[in-house]
Amino acid sequence: APKETEQTVFQDTAPEGQQCYVYARRHGGAPPLCRLEMKFPKQKEVFYLRQMLLHFPKRSFSECYRHNNRKHRSIEEAMLATGCLARSDEAYAVLDELIALRYTAAQMRFAFLVLLEQEADPQSLFHKYSTHLMKDFLDKGFTVANARKELLRLLRATWLQ
């Protein structure tokens, strides 16, 4: 185990020698803060693990398989049991989070293309987020119609690569 210079907040339940330790850093008495790297629904269990940790603090990795005192076969199953995510809401959850984190239009377009693979209604997804997807074009002075044409051209070219 790493030297304990700060408060240990998490030690996973992996086999001996493969355990992970996370330490919290406190600044001026403020609660510990950490950033969980963005994960996309395509990454399955890792995406659901991130969502579980964002919505329901856990003390161990094995606790992530539980919700309402019921053990589930996977973290995905446990997260879906919480009711926070329905399978059809995953793409929307990711894009809403990217907007909240102030991702650029180019980053949003990349995520949008990744998410299209699993979206049942891509037109609704496009309609809801098109302004964010073409924001850089609008900022450059494009009209909405021309920004939309450029967005569609870029998405098509990227998709067909």
Side-chain angles (χ1 to χ4, degrees):
K3 187 177 179 185
E4 240 182 277
T5 56
E6 295 136 359
Q7 177 189 7
T8 305
V9 293
F10 179 83
Q11 174 187 358
D12 76 17
T13 53
E16 188 65 38
Q18 297 176 5
Q19 293 177 329
C20 176
Y21 297 84
V22 177
Y23 298 99
R25 293 179 191 248
R26 294 189 179 271
H27 297 282
L33 177 70
C34 70
R35 180 185 172 277
L36 295 175
E37 184 179 313
M38 175 59 71
K39 298 298 176 191
F40 296 98
K42 185 177 185 178
Q43 293 169 290
K44 297 288 181 200
E45 200 73 352
V46 177
F47 170 79
Y48 290 104
L49 174 60
R50 182 178 186 279
Q51 293 300 315
M52 180 65 79
L53 294 173
L54 284 172
H55 297 285
F56 303 96
K58 302 293 181 181
R59 295 185 184 275
S60 71
F61 181 72
S62 59
E63 226 179 270
C64 294
Y65 287 87
R66 296 190 160 284
H67 181 69
N68 285 341
N69 294 322
R70 181 169 176 243
K71 184 167 170 106
H72 297 274
R73 290 177 296 178
S74 67
I75 296 170
E76 175 181 359
E77 190 179 290
M79 188 59 205
L80 291 173
T82 68
C84 285
L85 287 179
R87 288 187 193 276
S88 62
D89 292 346
E90 294 167 14
Y92 293 89
V94 170
L95 292 174
D96 285 339
E97 188 170 345
L98 293 179
I99 291 166
L101 293 171
R102 299 178 189 260
Y103 274 53
T104 67
Q107 292 169 316
M108 292 283 296
R109 287 190 292 269
F110 174 78
F112 178 80
L113 287 171
V114 169
L115 295 167
L116 276 183
E117 276 185 26
Q118 49 217 11
E119 180 53 40
D121 187 8
Q123 288 179 332
S124 292
L125 190 68
F126 179 81
H127 179 70
K128 180 171 181 184
Y129 296 101
S130 61
T131 303
H132 296 284
L133 296 170
M134 61 184 175
K135 184 178 181 331
D136 52 346
F137 303 129
L138 295 170
D139 290 346
K140 290 177 183 174
F142 282 59
T143 65
V144 172
N146 286 340
R148 184 180 172 90
K149 282 180 192 174
E150 184 62 16
L151 170 61
L152 291 171
R153 186 197 66 75
L154 248 179
L155 290 175
R156 185 175 192 276
T158 307
W159 185 266
L160 296 176
Q161 282 183 347

